[in-house]
Amino acid sequence: MKVKVDELVCEANAVCMGLAPEVFDVDDDDQLHILLPEPPLELQDRVRHAVRSCPKAALSIEE
């Protein structure tokens, strides 16, 4: 699994960070950073949930 963000669509709502803070971080400048672009197996269900929960559909997963 590889997680990607469309930076032109992302509004840094931080929903993903709330669901998987080990993988997603929003900095002080409201920029989303993917800390683990290829998350370990034990985080993948939470990452999928975070991607589905993005209010702007700015996140995607490559399997």
Side-chain angles (χ1 to χ4, degrees), residues 15-62:
V15 172
C16 56
M17 187 174 83
L19 294 170
E22 305 89 345
V23 178
F24 303 100
D25 182 57
V26 176
D27 66 20
D28 293 338
D29 295 323
D30 287 334
Q31 293 292 315
L32 175 68
H33 300 277
I34 299 177
L35 304 174
L36 296 171
E38 296 183 24
L41 187 59
E42 63 269 14
L43 295 176
Q44 290 184 7
D45 285 341
R46 288 178 42 210
V47 169
R48 283 186 181 89
H49 180 62
V51 169
R52 287 191 308 268
S53 299
C54 178
K56 298 302 288 181
L59 298 170
S60 62
I61 295 173
E62 261 183 31

Side-chain angles (χ1 to χ4, degrees), residues 4-11 32 51 54-60:
K4 295 185 175 190
V5 61
D6 183 337
E7 294 178 10
L8 297 175
V9 177
C10 180
E11 290 183 344
L32 175 68
V51 169
C54 178
K56 298 302 288 181
L59 298 170
S60 62

